[in-house]
mmCIF file of all heavy atoms in Angstrom:
data_model
loop_
_atom_site.group_PDB
_atom_site.id
_atom_site.type_symbol
_atom_site.label_atom_id
_atom_site.label_comp_id
_atom_site.label_asym_id
_atom_site.label_seq_id
_atom_site.Cartn_x
_atom_site.Cartn_y
_atom_site.Cartn_z
ATOM 1 N N GLY A 284 -64.681 -62.506 28.015
ATOM 2 C CA GLY A 284 -64.597 -63.695 28.852
ATOM 3 C C GLY A 284 -64.965 -64.993 28.160
ATOM 4 O O GLY A 284 -65.547 -65.017 27.077
ATOM 5 N N GLU A 285 -64.646 -66.068 28.831
ATOM 6 C CA GLU A 285 -64.755 -67.435 28.306
ATOM 7 C C GLU A 285 -66.139 -67.809 27.798
ATOM 8 O O GLU A 285 -66.267 -68.433 26.743
ATOM 9 C CB GLU A 285 -64.335 -68.425 29.395
ATOM 10 C CG GLU A 285 -64.475 -69.876 29.002
ATOM 11 C CD GLU A 285 -64.112 -70.824 30.127
ATOM 12 O OE1 GLU A 285 -64.113 -70.408 31.305
ATOM 13 O OE2 GLU A 285 -63.827 -71.998 29.826
ATOM 14 N N THR A 286 -67.192 -67.465 28.508
ATOM 15 C CA THR A 286 -68.525 -67.908 28.104
ATOM 16 C C THR A 286 -69.305 -66.821 27.362
ATOM 17 O O THR A 286 -70.509 -66.963 27.134
ATOM 18 C CB THR A 286 -69.334 -68.409 29.322
ATOM 19 O OG1 THR A 286 -69.526 -67.338 30.242
ATOM 20 C CG2 THR A 286 -68.630 -69.577 29.999
ATOM 21 N N ALA A 287 -68.615 -65.752 26.975
ATOM 22 C CA ALA A 287 -69.265 -64.677 26.219
ATOM 23 C C ALA A 287 -69.532 -65.127 24.788
ATOM 24 O O ALA A 287 -68.798 -65.945 24.227
ATOM 25 C CB ALA A 287 -68.386 -63.432 26.207
ATOM 26 N N THR A 288 -70.603 -64.586 24.209
ATOM 27 C CA THR A 288 -70.852 -64.746 22.780
ATOM 28 C C THR A 288 -71.066 -63.353 22.198
ATOM 29 O O THR A 288 -71.657 -62.483 22.846
ATOM 30 C CB THR A 288 -72.095 -65.618 22.480
ATOM 31 O OG1 THR A 288 -73.254 -64.988 22.995
ATOM 32 C CG2 THR A 288 -71.944 -67.000 23.078
ATOM 33 N N VAL A 289 -70.563 -63.152 20.990
ATOM 34 C CA VAL A 289 -70.721 -61.885 20.287
ATOM 35 C C VAL A 289 -71.282 -62.206 18.914
ATOM 36 O O VAL A 289 -70.742 -63.052 18.197
ATOM 37 C CB VAL A 289 -69.369 -61.144 20.154
ATOM 38 C CG1 VAL A 289 -69.542 -59.840 19.376
ATOM 39 C CG2 VAL A 289 -68.750 -60.871 21.530
ATOM 40 N N GLY A 290 -72.361 -61.530 18.554
ATOM 41 C CA GLY A 290 -73.021 -61.778 17.277
ATOM 42 C C GLY A 290 -72.268 -61.178 16.094
ATOM 43 O O GLY A 290 -71.129 -60.738 16.212
ATOM 44 N N ASP A 291 -72.942 -61.140 14.963
ATOM 45 C CA ASP A 291 -72.353 -60.634 13.721
ATOM 46 C C ASP A 291 -72.397 -59.111 13.659
ATOM 47 O O ASP A 291 -73.323 -58.482 14.175
ATOM 48 C CB ASP A 291 -73.120 -61.181 12.510
ATOM 49 C CG ASP A 291 -73.028 -62.694 12.383
ATOM 50 O OD1 ASP A 291 -72.089 -63.294 12.948
ATOM 51 O OD2 ASP A 291 -73.905 -63.272 11.710
ATOM 52 N N ASP A 292 -71.387 -58.537 12.986
ATOM 53 C CA ASP A 292 -71.350 -57.112 12.631
ATOM 54 C C ASP A 292 -71.409 -56.175 13.833
ATOM 55 O O ASP A 292 -72.013 -55.103 13.768
ATOM 56 C CB ASP A 292 -72.479 -56.794 11.647
ATOM 57 C CG ASP A 292 -72.393 -57.654 10.393
ATOM 58 O OD1 ASP A 292 -71.296 -57.726 9.800
ATOM 59 O OD2 ASP A 292 -73.412 -58.275 10.023
ATOM 60 N N CYS A 293 -70.775 -56.553 14.922
ATOM 61 C CA CYS A 293 -70.737 -55.716 16.122
ATOM 62 C C CYS A 293 -69.522 -54.798 16.091
ATOM 63 O O CYS A 293 -68.532 -55.069 15.411
ATOM 64 C CB CYS A 293 -70.683 -56.587 17.378
ATOM 65 S SG CYS A 293 -72.194 -57.533 17.637
ATOM 66 N N VAL A 294 -69.599 -53.706 16.864
ATOM 67 C CA VAL A 294 -68.485 -52.778 17.041
ATOM 68 C C VAL A 294 -68.210 -52.671 18.530
ATOM 69 O O VAL A 294 -69.122 -52.411 19.319
ATOM 70 C CB VAL A 294 -68.806 -51.371 16.481
ATOM 71 C CG1 VAL A 294 -67.640 -50.422 16.726
ATOM 72 C CG2 VAL A 294 -69.147 -51.437 14.997
ATOM 73 N N ILE A 295 -66.952 -52.880 18.902
ATOM 74 C CA ILE A 295 -66.523 -52.742 20.290
ATOM 75 C C ILE A 295 -65.331 -51.792 20.310
ATOM 76 O O ILE A 295 -64.352 -51.993 19.589
ATOM 77 C CB ILE A 295 -66.124 -54.108 20.900
ATOM 78 C CG1 ILE A 295 -67.330 -55.049 20.962
ATOM 79 C CG2 ILE A 295 -65.491 -53.926 22.267
ATOM 80 C CD1 ILE A 295 -67.004 -56.445 21.475
ATOM 81 N N TYR A 296 -65.409 -50.755 21.135
ATOM 82 C CA TYR A 296 -64.317 -49.794 21.264
ATOM 83 C C TYR A 296 -63.374 -50.183 22.401
ATOM 84 O O TYR A 296 -63.655 -51.107 23.167
ATOM 85 C CB TYR A 296 -64.881 -48.388 21.468
ATOM 86 C CG TYR A 296 -65.493 -47.852 20.197
ATOM 87 C CD1 TYR A 296 -66.850 -48.018 19.945
ATOM 88 C CD2 TYR A 296 -64.718 -47.223 19.232
ATOM 89 C CE1 TYR A 296 -67.408 -47.547 18.762
ATOM 90 C CE2 TYR A 296 -65.270 -46.752 18.057
ATOM 91 C CZ TYR A 296 -66.617 -46.921 17.831
ATOM 92 O OH TYR A 296 -67.165 -46.464 16.663
ATOM 93 N N HIS A 297 -62.273 -49.468 22.519
ATOM 94 C CA HIS A 297 -61.223 -49.801 23.482
ATOM 95 C C HIS A 297 -61.732 -49.759 24.927
ATOM 96 O O HIS A 297 -62.670 -49.068 25.261
ATOM 97 C CB HIS A 297 -60.019 -48.879 23.308
ATOM 98 C CG HIS A 297 -60.340 -47.431 23.477
ATOM 99 N ND1 HIS A 297 -60.938 -46.686 22.486
ATOM 100 C CD2 HIS A 297 -60.176 -46.604 24.515
ATOM 101 C CE1 HIS A 297 -61.099 -45.453 22.903
ATOM 102 N NE2 HIS A 297 -60.652 -45.380 24.141
ATOM 103 N N GLY A 298 -61.091 -50.574 25.745
ATOM 104 C CA GLY A 298 -61.373 -50.595 27.169
ATOM 105 C C GLY A 298 -62.656 -51.287 27.582
ATOM 106 O O GLY A 298 -63.063 -51.198 28.738
ATOM 107 N N VAL A 299 -63.295 -51.995 26.676
ATOM 108 C CA VAL A 299 -64.559 -52.681 26.987
ATOM 109 C C VAL A 299 -64.283 -54.031 27.639
ATOM 110 O O VAL A 299 -63.358 -54.741 27.244
ATOM 111 C CB VAL A 299 -65.402 -52.873 25.703
ATOM 112 C CG1 VAL A 299 -66.548 -53.851 25.915
ATOM 113 C CG2 VAL A 299 -65.916 -51.532 25.205
ATOM 114 N N THR A 300 -65.093 -54.384 28.625
ATOM 115 C CA THR A 300 -65.034 -55.707 29.240
ATOM 116 C C THR A 300 -66.369 -56.408 29.071
ATOM 117 O O THR A 300 -67.412 -55.834 29.394
ATOM 118 C CB THR A 300 -64.716 -55.602 30.752
ATOM 119 O OG1 THR A 300 -63.446 -54.968 30.912
ATOM 120 C CG2 THR A 300 -64.707 -56.970 31.409
ATOM 121 N N LEU A 301 -66.321 -57.615 28.542
ATOM 122 C CA LEU A 301 -67.470 -58.522 28.544
ATOM 123 C C LEU A 301 -67.117 -59.572 29.584
ATOM 124 O O LEU A 301 -66.481 -60.576 29.285
ATOM 125 C CB LEU A 301 -67.690 -59.156 27.159
ATOM 126 C CG LEU A 301 -67.859 -58.204 25.980
ATOM 127 C CD1 LEU A 301 -68.098 -58.987 24.697
ATOM 128 C CD2 LEU A 301 -68.964 -57.210 26.230
ATOM 129 N N GLY A 302 -67.450 -59.288 30.825
ATOM 130 C CA GLY A 302 -66.946 -60.098 31.924
ATOM 131 C C GLY A 302 -68.008 -60.667 32.831
ATOM 132 O O GLY A 302 -69.199 -60.454 32.653
ATOM 133 N N GLY A 303 -67.520 -61.380 33.836
ATOM 134 C CA GLY A 303 -68.380 -61.942 34.864
ATOM 135 C C GLY A 303 -68.489 -60.971 36.028
ATOM 136 O O GLY A 303 -67.852 -59.920 36.051
ATOM 137 N N LYS A 304 -69.305 -61.355 37.009
ATOM 138 C CA LYS A 304 -69.472 -60.519 38.195
ATOM 139 C C LYS A 304 -68.789 -61.127 39.413
ATOM 140 O O LYS A 304 -68.979 -60.650 40.520
ATOM 141 C CB LYS A 304 -70.961 -60.300 38.483
ATOM 142 C CG LYS A 304 -71.643 -59.491 37.409
ATOM 143 C CD LYS A 304 -72.998 -58.949 37.816
ATOM 144 C CE LYS A 304 -74.006 -60.002 38.084
ATOM 145 N NZ LYS A 304 -75.362 -59.478 38.313
ATOM 146 N N GLY A 305 -68.021 -62.183 39.218
ATOM 147 C CA GLY A 305 -67.303 -62.779 40.329
ATOM 148 C C GLY A 305 -68.168 -63.640 41.223
ATOM 149 O O GLY A 305 -67.794 -63.963 42.336
ATOM 150 N N GLN A 306 -69.340 -63.989 40.752
ATOM 151 C CA GLN A 306 -70.232 -64.862 41.508
ATOM 152 C C GLN A 306 -70.960 -65.761 40.531
ATOM 153 O O GLN A 306 -70.840 -65.605 39.337
ATOM 154 C CB GLN A 306 -71.232 -64.035 42.317
ATOM 155 C CG GLN A 306 -72.027 -63.078 41.471
ATOM 156 C CD GLN A 306 -72.709 -62.012 42.306
ATOM 157 O OE1 GLN A 306 -72.288 -61.703 43.393
ATOM 158 N NE2 GLN A 306 -73.769 -61.448 41.786
ATOM 159 N N GLY A 307 -71.698 -66.692 41.035
ATOM 160 C CA GLY A 307 -72.421 -67.609 40.163
ATOM 161 C C GLY A 307 -71.663 -68.909 40.010
ATOM 162 O O GLY A 307 -70.696 -69.175 40.734
ATOM 163 N N PRO A 308 -72.070 -69.720 39.049
ATOM 164 C CA PRO A 308 -71.447 -71.042 38.902
ATOM 165 C C PRO A 308 -69.973 -70.933 38.532
ATOM 166 O O PRO A 308 -69.600 -70.141 37.676
ATOM 167 C CB PRO A 308 -72.257 -71.693 37.786
ATOM 168 C CG PRO A 308 -72.862 -70.562 37.040
ATOM 169 C CD PRO A 308 -73.059 -69.449 38.017
ATOM 170 N N LYS A 309 -69.162 -71.724 39.206
ATOM 171 C CA LYS A 309 -67.716 -71.673 38.968
ATOM 172 C C LYS A 309 -67.375 -71.985 37.518
ATOM 173 O O LYS A 309 -66.526 -71.336 36.939
ATOM 174 C CB LYS A 309 -67.013 -72.647 39.911
ATOM 175 C CG LYS A 309 -65.511 -72.617 39.769
ATOM 176 C CD LYS A 309 -64.834 -73.518 40.778
ATOM 177 C CE LYS A 309 -63.350 -73.485 40.603
ATOM 178 N NZ LYS A 309 -62.666 -74.374 41.502
ATOM 179 N N CYS A 310 -68.004 -72.951 36.924
ATOM 180 C CA CYS A 310 -67.672 -73.340 35.557
ATOM 181 C C CYS A 310 -68.858 -73.206 34.606
ATOM 182 O O CYS A 310 -68.850 -73.740 33.519
ATOM 183 C CB CYS A 310 -67.138 -74.771 35.525
ATOM 184 S SG CYS A 310 -65.590 -74.955 36.412
ATOM 185 N N GLY A 311 -69.890 -72.472 34.986
ATOM 186 C CA GLY A 311 -71.075 -72.307 34.139
ATOM 187 C C GLY A 311 -71.043 -70.996 33.372
ATOM 188 O O GLY A 311 -70.016 -70.333 33.262
ATOM 189 N N LYS A 312 -72.189 -70.612 32.862
ATOM 190 C CA LYS A 312 -72.335 -69.369 32.092
ATOM 191 C C LYS A 312 -72.132 -68.173 33.011
ATOM 192 O O LYS A 312 -72.862 -67.983 33.976
ATOM 193 C CB LYS A 312 -73.729 -69.352 31.449
ATOM 194 C CG LYS A 312 -74.044 -68.101 30.678
ATOM 195 C CD LYS A 312 -73.245 -68.013 29.403
ATOM 196 C CE LYS A 312 -73.718 -66.829 28.560
ATOM 197 N NZ LYS A 312 -72.701 -66.386 27.640
ATOM 198 N N ARG A 313 -71.120 -67.349 32.709
ATOM 199 C CA ARG A 313 -70.775 -66.221 33.564
ATOM 200 C C ARG A 313 -70.692 -64.900 32.817
ATOM 201 O O ARG A 313 -70.575 -63.845 33.426
ATOM 202 C CB ARG A 313 -69.418 -66.476 34.241
ATOM 203 C CG ARG A 313 -69.360 -67.738 35.038
ATOM 204 C CD ARG A 313 -67.994 -68.028 35.639
ATOM 205 N NE ARG A 313 -66.850 -67.867 34.778
ATOM 206 C CZ ARG A 313 -66.437 -68.760 33.867
ATOM 207 N NH1 ARG A 313 -67.125 -69.862 33.662
ATOM 208 N NH2 ARG A 313 -65.363 -68.550 33.149
#
């Protein structure tokens, strides 16, 4: 997602979501 950050040397496998929960600030950190 838009406001996600990923550090150095990470491993992410298929089907992973770094997402929001559909609540919280409309344009803030989600």
